């Protein structure tokens, strides 16, 4: 691609709760660290300002002490923290936490100064007293000589916004972005951000900002990439891996976005456990470094480095007793209602025995204007002889505000359990051929790419050379004998 990669000009560190600390530099170094994070105690009373500041600052202490201990200051220029990284996910309406109980965790960001920036690390004791958490972030940035991107709750004009704040190496407030596309749960606590993009510049690199659910939508992505022509995007997220049917993990979507838009992406996720694991660095889809854990109850993380080696660390917990099927009620189904557009689902399950070969096709212009064809052949040497897959074509909603179409192949728990909340994440079936062509509904005038979701055994990622795709309407397997779990294209119409 003509896009210039930011490597080796910039080095990013992604600090993520309980799992991953990644830094990319030439040559690439991947460092893994586990550390505790302090959550607020679940309560029906308003947490005091002192308690709230104590919790947020304690979490910052964990981040910063880990950064200081394990990484060279000279090797990192931008430190990215995950969404909700200051206070965890206790403030979800599903946990009966309301606006009032969250009030002392919100931060009133000061207005920009005459020159467009404000010093958040002044010597003034009054400022430090009024803005203790901001001061702590900014002074650490100044001390380490790095940029810090941190997610927090900004309160402005009687509205609370899910926000990422950018602080420069001098401790100055350089940019903030209010999350535009809120997940349905978030609406009880936050207002949607204004329709304007935010960027910042590090040396000669122009960097865009996005938060979690934004990644599914056409904006702000198109504005950042097509209008602002950013060199890369920083992505702060708290991704729930069991949120969509079929299964789209955090790293699936991160890699797919980076590949579809041909843009480097630096994604920092919570990584408390298998449900919300997944952070990474991608260069137009190429795997620079990523971490993803699918083992329930086990603190285990795999980090793939650019040299192709996989490093594993374990920190207690129990394995899933040999059962690789995850069964958690998807948040996507919880948010569907009868008023949403009708769902049209076609499934053709098959047992992927060695040598199995078939042509699948779906077309129904009267219903959804989706047309797709799939040709697959299972390798004769495949060891997953009893594993079940399905050809799938779907028109419907992932979440209430998110209409989609998708087509391709998914792994099934059984012949009768496909496209359900039972996610089968293991596969030993190797495929000799896989060719997919999809014509999405052209009457929906959304000029966005299609996202290629591709994974192998244990829901791990495959690098871009394994599959060829134009991120519009086709996918082709370049390496015969590749083990596949899921491989499909999906397009969002929001």
């Amino acid at each position: 691609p003509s896009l210039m990669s930011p490597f080796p000009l910039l080095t990013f560190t992604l600090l993520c709760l309980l799992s991953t600390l990644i830094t990319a530099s030439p040559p690439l170094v991947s460092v893994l660290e586990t550390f505790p994070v302090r959550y607020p105690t679940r309560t029906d009373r308003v947490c005091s300002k002192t308690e709230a500041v104590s919790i947020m600052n304690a979490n910052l202490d964990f981040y910063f002490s880990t950064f200081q201990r394990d990484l060279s200051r000279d090797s990192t220029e931008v430190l990215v923290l995950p969404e909700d990284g200051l206070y965890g996910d206790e403030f979800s309406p599903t946990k009966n936490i309301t606006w009032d109980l969250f009030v002392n965790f919100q931060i009133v960001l000061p207005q920009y100064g005459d020159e467009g920036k404000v010093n958040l690390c002044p010597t003034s004791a009054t400022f430090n007293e009024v803005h203790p958490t901001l001061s702590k972030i900014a002074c650490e940035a100044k001390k380490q000589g790095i940029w810090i991107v941190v997610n927090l709750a900004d309160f402005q004009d009687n509205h609370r916004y899910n926000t990422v704040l950018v602080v420069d190496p001098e401790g100055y407030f350089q940019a903030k972005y209010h999350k535009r596309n809120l997940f349905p749960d978030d609406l009880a606590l936050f207002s949607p951000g204004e329709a304007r993009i935010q960027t910042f510049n590090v040396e000669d690199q122009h960097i865009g900002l996005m938060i979690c659910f934004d990644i599914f939508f056409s904006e702000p992505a198109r504005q950042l990439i097509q209008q602002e022509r950013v060199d890369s995007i920083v992505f702060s997220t708290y991704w729930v891996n069991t949120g969509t049917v079929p299964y789209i993990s955090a790293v699936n979507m991160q890699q797919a976005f980076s590949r579809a838009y041909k843009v480097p992406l630096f994604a920092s996720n919570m990584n408390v456990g298998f449900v919300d694991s997944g952070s990474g660095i991608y260069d137009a889809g190429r795997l620079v470094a990523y971490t993803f854990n699918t083992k329930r109850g086990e603190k285990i993380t795999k980090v793939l480095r650019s040299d192709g080696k996989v490093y594993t660390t374990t920190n207690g917990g129990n394995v899933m007793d040999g059962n690789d099927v995850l069964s958690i009620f998807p948040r996507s189904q919880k948010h569907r209602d009868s008023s949403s557009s009708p769902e049209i689902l076609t499934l053709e399950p098959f047992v992927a025995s060695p040598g199995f070969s078939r042509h699948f096709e779906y077309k129904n212009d009267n219903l959804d204007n989706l047309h797709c064809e799939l040709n697959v052949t299972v390798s004769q040497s495949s060891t997953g002889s009893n594993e079940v897959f399905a050809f799938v074509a779907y028109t419907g909603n992932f979440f209430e505000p998110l209409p989609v179409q998708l087509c391709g192949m998914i792994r099934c728990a059984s012949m009768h359990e496909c496209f359900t909340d039972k996610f089968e994440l293991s596969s030993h079936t190797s495929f000799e051929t896989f060719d997919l062509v999809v014509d999405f509904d052209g009457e929906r005038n959304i000029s966005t790419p299609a996202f290629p979701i591709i994974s192998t055994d244990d829901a791990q990622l495959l690098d871009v050379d394994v599959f060829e795709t134009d991120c519009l309407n086709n996918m082709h397997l370049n390496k015969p004998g590749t083990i596949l779990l899921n491989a499909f294209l999906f397009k969002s119409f929001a």
Side-chain angles (χ1 to χ4, degrees), residues 192-207:
E194 59 278 4
R196 92 169 165 245
I197 57 176
Q198 291 293 321
T199 61
F200 64 106
N201 296 308
V202 180
E203 299 177 1
D204 61 348
Q205 295 294 302
H206 193 40
I207 303 172

Side-chain angles (χ1 to χ4, degrees), residues 254-276:
Q254 292 160 16
Q255 182 189 36
F257 178 91
S258 174
R259 187 170 191 176
Y261 281 105
K262 297 180 174 61
V263 64
L265 182 74
F266 304 89
S268 178
N269 194 17
M270 289 285 277
N271 292 297
V272 174
F274 79 100
V275 172
D276 45 29

